[in-house]
Amino acid sequence: QVQLVESGGGLVQAGDSLRLSCATSGRTFSTLGMGWFRQAPGKGREFVVVIGRNGNTAYADSVKGRFTISRDNAHNIMYLQMNSLKPEDTAVYYCAADTYYRGNYLPEREYEYNYWGQGTQVTVSS
């Protein structure tokens, strides 16, 4: 079992920054592929970014250049630095863990992740 706890969400204005954290436990963090997804009101959950075991990353086009994912394997934490926030970034943000070895492949689909956090709300006002 892997436990995931997100934090760092809040209410900000357009153009502001936030940093989300995802603390993990239950399995050696360095063996996990980790991702962030988000779900806006009335919409399905969408992929935001993934970071693999070796630190390689992939971003959704909508956040490229504004969001940065990172991981601290020594402290079992993943971060999402979000800059230049827009109202359309408003959503519940979920971190997810993938326990399967996939080589250099970076999963971007919900079903490829087998553990999820409870989510943290991010609201960006215009």
Side-chain angles (χ1 to χ4, degrees):
Q1 291 287 332
V2 178
Q3 291 77 44
L4 307 171
V5 179
E6 303 97 333
S7 61
L11 172 62
V12 297
Q13 294 187 331
D16 286 350
S17 298
L18 275 176
R19 188 177 78 160
L20 304 183
S21 300
C22 175
T24 72
S25 61
R27 183 154 171 164
T28 304
F29 184 64
S30 60
T31 68
L32 301 174
M34 298 294 297
W36 287 97
F37 288 73
R38 66 186 182 186
Q39 186 166 18
K43 296 187 177 181
R45 194 149 52 184
E46 66 172 359
F47 167 77
V48 177
V49 60
V50 55
I51 185 166
R53 292 165 178 77
N54 59 3
N56 54 337
T57 60
Y59 292 84
D61 288 342
S62 59
V63 306
K64 279 181 183 176
R66 300 188 298 122
F67 290 12
T68 302
I69 191 172
S70 61
R71 62 189 300 160
D72 181 347
N73 289 343
H75 295 94
N76 303 330
I77 295 179
M78 173 178 67
Y79 299 103
L80 181 62
Q81 179 66 43
M82 305 186 295
N83 297 330
S84 302
L85 282 162
K86 305 176 181 179
E88 50 263 44
D89 294 318
T90 295
V92 177
Y93 283 70
Y94 298 91
C95 68
D98 168 24
T99 62
Y100 294 99
Y101 177 74
R102 301 181 189 271
N104 290 324
Y105 173 73
L106 294 172
E108 298 185 10
R109 297 170 178 81
E110 284 188 69
Y111 65 82
E112 295 176 306
Y113 292 83
N114 44 345
Y115 293 97
W116 293 82
Q118 293 300 305
T120 185
Q121 177 70 48
V122 172
T123 303
V124 185
S125 63
S126 57

